[in-house]
Amino acid sequence: MYPRTALKFALLAQLAFLASATYSDPKVLDACPGYKAKNVLDLGHKLTADLVLAGTACNVFGNDTEKLKLEVTYESQDRIHVKITDPTENRYEVPQEVLPRPSANLFAGPLTSNIRFNYTTSPFSFSIYRSKTHEVLFSTASHPIIFEPQYLRVKTNLPANANIYGLGEHTDTFRLPTHNYTRTLWSRDAYGVPHGENLYGNHPIYYEHRTTGTHGVFLANSNGMDIKLNDTEGTGTTLEYNVIGGVLDFYFLAGSESDPTEVARQYAEIVGNPAEVPYWSFGLHQCRFGYQNYIDVSEVITNYSAAGIPLETMWTDIDYMDRRRIFTVDPDYFPLDRMREIVDYLHSHDQKFVLMTDPAVAYAPGESYGPFDRGTTADIWLKAANGSSPFLGAVWPGVTVFPDWFNPKTQDYWTNEFQSFYSPDTGLDIDGAWIDMNEPSSFCNYPCTDPFEQAREQALPPARTSPPPDPDAPIFGEAPPSKRKRASAPDHSGDNVQSPPYAIANFAGAGPLSDKTAYTDAVHANGLIEYDTHNLYGTMMSTATHEAMLARRPGLRTLVITRSTFAGAGAKVGKWLGDNFSDWDHYKQSIAGILGMAGVYHVPMVGADICGYAENTTETLCARWALLGAFYPFMRNHNADTSISQEFYRWPLTTQAAKNALDVRYRLIDYLYTAFHQAKTDGTPVLRPLWYAFPKDTNTFGIDTQFLFGPSVLVSPVIDENSTTVDVYYPKEFFYNFHTLAPITGVGSSVQLTNVNFTTIPVSIKGGAVLPLRASSQLTTTELRKTDFEIVVAPALADGSASGSLYLDDGISITPKTSTSVSFAYNRGKLTVKGSFGYATGVNVSRVRFANTKSAPKSVKFNGKAVSADKVAFDSANGVLDVTLGIPFKSNFIVELD
């Protein structure tokens, strides 16, 4: 988010981006000599070779490296690691401490692998192909590798109209365009999250889906890069990496010929399975940049309660800070004692509290600002190019310094600040953490020779625009209260790290990599510079914040929501999609955004700012967005200080839409919680595009306006502005209306739904599912956990079977003492429920609902005994049979229809 005075400069600068990006004629690059493979040593599970320049150097963006080292390792049955480095130079690689990589299975090798590595000696090229079918998945044939100090190039051929997904973060379509398309990876503060531009985070992984299978390619490189997809070169469709540093460090994933979710599980083996989050975090969150004082915050809490809308967690943006300084409260507008009163009120009502914490610390020598003084004493700030003085930027507090997450003392510093400021006894007892501006963002325009002057010009920190409230004003209708190890760093002395010879298409400003962020020549404690590590800053802050939260609440799961991410971030934290606009385009594109994060990059605790962050929403847009947002894993309403208020209770239509949406969401929370547990266990995606479930149906490959919430709930929101009509694609399967359980027979075509009012979203259950639902919604997740279950059986089209699962524990412990895992299986009129019931549910199974029942059965049995007729009801109009049970949910049971 930008200050108002800086926003116009940022928007103008974006218009100038094209002048900075490098165009390289593909024919010139393909004419480079490449390399010859020599001294090949093939040990089966591992292959090594020297790669020697095969002719006259191209030197397109620097001098070609004359000799490289190739290392190919079969790491598992489904993963091949291909690494190309310069053996004579200590080049930067993504540190193991930031992204721990898996070890190779010593028994892996080509004889047991589902994919294989093949190569040509001269000129050197390589390919990856399926062992069973010999289908080529990746091939550098006719595209020589280029390896220079600040430019690496690898190019592969693709099928025509290739289905490529990933390469985020972006706001483009979920299936990426293949026509003259460039995907740039370089973290930046991307106000408005525009199309076609680099945004906050970087995930250099793509999945390619074909009717013959799905595979993945991950480049473990954190340097800036352009990845180009093109079909205009006369050689078919290609994908090309153009990287400005580091090494070529590829992981090739076999995926599966039948199950697309398998490639996601294999990618999780590299970057880590997603984190489990607290049960309460699936409730509704409310925030705003622009709450003027503590009274505003208290009134929002009260108004949600009065409207009967479940509010689980209240958030506060940077408004609460004293002069925008982290780890402070404004004594006049957000006095500590009144804020503690708000937190106590929330906790006494089974609600939660979260605050914003930015990385930039106010540069305040001699001002007795503890966080700055303690960081200076510990010497943990990111350094300027001289390696001694702190690097200075200009952010919300004015001139700032930045923590160096590579410094081994920074974690202790950060943990101490969290324990002190967020102390339950003397500070603000937060339940989760929110971190922003961690690209890292700076408002200082390049070249930022005088951050003090730029801070003055931009009026940082901004002045308050309203008078302070009465410090003793009553709230909630109550009377006021009484008063790391250092490694050898790569040598960049001969490199131009401010303006590298190959200029990636960085859209922040006119192209300089250092614009509005930490300079690329800023130095870390271990000697690494931001040129190499820039894209890691947000994820490293995320990890430090995760650890700080663990230290202040040992043994408890954390909720940390970040803006900037790199591969592997989801193993610790969640994310929101950034500073979107209150318009229908951003509403729609959020679907592709959450699918990318949750379905590809393994950051499943994700959501967009509901109703939009910037500009003014409308009643109908906010109503539609409340409905869609109920199916984001992370559900938060949040907007900017320059926008109108948009809490769900502001308009009657939006209020009803929110209530309807939250009723469905809360009944499904245990289903979602189970999906998160599965993701933590093996990397199975929490959200899925339709083609994950229907991989042979080519009509699904480009759909990103519908998605599967968990494995079995199809969400099909109305997309068009102020419309009540939506085209819903139903693959060849049974689907069931979530509310009525009426069956819909999918035939592989779209169905137009009309009269979808602004308080309704089409939600259906995919055939073949058994869903454990809470029988009713509640105002808090604490009350929800005391509510009975009902079980919905939705048979599949093919054989009438269905299955599902449920996982329960205490909802907060990292390692729960007990848990309950239940499986549901339905076949030929028999539902079998069995599992281990170590965690006491404390509730009943109120009923079982059988969808697609043709007629009332002759009899119904529960554990072999007849169920009385008054407990059996048949809805012939919708084909639903309800069997009332009312039994404690603590043991196995069987329900049979005859």
Side-chain angles (χ1 to χ4, degrees), residues 359 361-362 371-383 389-391 401-404 407 410 413 523-525:
V361 177
F372 172 75
D373 293 341
R374 289 185 287 270
T376 301
T377 299
D379 193 24
I380 55 89
W381 307 129
L382 179 68
K383 295 296 193 294
S389 58
F391 171 80
V401 290
F402 299 86
D404 174 8
N407 191 313
T410 301
Y413 162 81
V523 183
H524 292 278

Side-chain angles (χ1 to χ4, degrees), residues 460-481:
L460 298 171
R464 296 281 181 180
T465 58
S466 63
D470 179 350
D472 296 323
I475 56 177
F476 305 123
E478 300 170 358

Side-chain angles (χ1 to χ4, degrees), residues 137-138 156-168 170 172-179 181 183 205-210 214-217 227-230 237-241 600-601 691-692 701-702 704:
L137 307 180
F138 189 98
T156 179
N157 298 313
L158 296 173
N161 303 311
N163 301 299
I164 304 294
Y165 308 85
L167 302 179
H170 59 79
D172 301 323
T173 52
F174 183 57
R175 179 174 62 179
L176 296 177
T178 57
H179 181 74
Y181 176 75
R183 177 78 269 111
I205 170 73
Y206 74 83
Y207 298 169
E208 184 189 344
H209 178 63
R210 308 174 184 179
T214 314
H215 65 277
V217 179
I227 304 172
K228 299 181 178 181
L229 286 160
N230 205 358
T237 306
T238 59
L239 183 149
E240 174 183 307
Y241 297 89
V600 179
Y601 313 134
W691 64 264
Y692 274 26
F701 296 173
D704 58 8

Side-chain angles (χ1 to χ4, degrees), residues 466-547:
S466 63
D470 179 350
D472 296 323
I475 56 177
F476 305 123
E478 300 170 358
S482 58
K483 291 291 180 186
R484 302 170 192 188
K485 182 180 176 181
R486 179 168 180 147
S488 175
D491 180 10
H492 282 289
S493 59
D495 297 335
N496 184 343
V497 297
Q498 291 290 0
S499 299
Y502 177 90
I504 62 172
N506 176 31
F507 285 73
L513 299 179
S514 295
D515 192 35
K516 297 183 178 64
T517 189
Y519 274 20
T520 51
D521 58 8
V523 183
H524 292 278
N526 57 3
L528 297 178
I529 64 173
E530 276 288 288
Y531 181 81
D532 293 319
T533 66
H534 170 80
N535 286 343
L536 302 178
Y537 194 92
T539 287
M540 295 188 73
M541 181 190 181
S542 298
T543 298
T545 304
H546 168 82
E547 296 299 326

Side-chain angles (χ1 to χ4, degrees), residues 94-106:
V94 176
Q96 186 79 6
E97 67 192 87
V98 180
L99 181 65
R101 254 61 61 81
S103 302
N105 183 334
L106 296 179

Side-chain angles (χ1 to χ4, degrees), residues 399-418:
V399 178
T400 63
V401 290
F402 299 86
D404 174 8
W405 307 112
F406 279 106
N407 191 313
K409 294 180 290 186
T410 301
Q411 182 65 68
D412 287 344
Y413 162 81
W414 200 244
T415 297
N416 177 69
E417 299 302 321
F418 264 69

Side-chain angles (χ1 to χ4, degrees), residues 11 58 91 99 133 147 199 251 258 296 315 337 621 718 771:
L11 295 176
C58 265
R91 291 180 67 97
L99 181 65
T133 63
F147 199 109
L199 303 180
Y251 290 86
S258 58
D296 278 1
W315 295 48
D337 60 334
L621 174 60
V718 175
L771 295 187

